[in-house]
Amino acid sequence: MKIAIASDHGGFDLKERLRRHYADLGLIDLGTYDSQSVDYPDYAKKMANEILSGSADLGILICGTGVGISIAANRYHGIRAALIYSAEVAELAKRHNNANVLVFGGRTMPFEDVINYIDTFLRAEYEGGRHQIRLNKIEQTE
Ligand code: RB5
């Protein structure tokens, strides 16, 4: 599975730590590449292009709280960005929502928690069935 990661300046430190932690997975780094102030919608756009073109299967997006970049990412048709705040939510974001972007707050979430959430999501399986009917309804209303 190809996984891309991107952040604004508020998520830069967490992005760098995740990149090092998951070095074996070879995360595709879409920036930002330093802690200079940038605009999170630009990184949501880069991620949407990466996922929707098929260059990556899963994305990880980070801003200060995760809120702004979630809002921005979910404007793109076909992006299902989930702001993850517990292991239970991580598991259900896969089983029920088949999320294709995981979102975290670089200033609000401890690194160890985020690792736990990502690992939990990666172990989970999408259930389809009634959940696919709901995802289809989202696709139709976007
Ligand atoms: C940037 O200062 C901050 O507003 C951004 O990272 C994010 O938290 C927005 O939702």
Side-chain angles (χ1 to χ4, degrees), residues 2-137:
K2 290 173 290 180
I3 305 177
I5 189 165
S7 75
D8 74 353
H9 54 288
F12 175 69
D13 289 345
L14 178 58
K15 175 174 76 68
E16 292 303 296
R17 291 188 75 182
L18 290 174
R19 231 169 30 83
R20 288 194 291 273
H21 182 84
Y22 290 109
D24 290 353
L25 297 180
L27 302 189
I28 302 163
D29 187 358
L30 303 176
T32 187
Y33 301 113
D34 59 39
S35 53
Q36 292 291 310
S37 182
V38 291
D39 298 329
Y40 59 79
D42 297 335
Y43 294 88
K45 182 177 186 178
K46 283 175 190 258
M47 181 60 74
N49 289 339
E50 196 78 1
I51 299 288
L52 297 173
S53 69
S55 300
D57 307 301
L58 177 68
I60 298 171
L61 280 176
I62 312 162
C63 66
T65 60
V67 173
I69 210 161
S70 298
I71 294 169
N74 278 314
R75 298 299 292 265
Y76 294 88
H77 190 109
I79 294 297
R80 295 179 300 281
L83 178 55
I84 305 294
Y85 51 89
S86 74
E88 181 184 14
V89 168
E91 181 163 345
L92 292 173
K94 182 65 186 185
R95 287 173 50 191
H96 290 187
N97 310 115
N98 200 20
N100 54 13
V101 176
L102 303 180
V103 188
F104 302 105
R107 293 173 177 155
T108 56
M109 299 184 185
F111 174 70
E112 291 72 19
D113 288 357
V114 173
I115 296 297
N116 181 28
Y117 303 159
I118 293 172
D119 291 345
T120 299
F121 181 90
L122 291 176
R123 280 194 301 270
E125 301 267 351
Y126 176 50
E127 292 176 8
R130 70 186 189 280
H131 302 295
Q132 189 57 47
I133 293 168
R134 294 161 187 166
L135 294 190
N136 291 345
K137 288 190 177 186

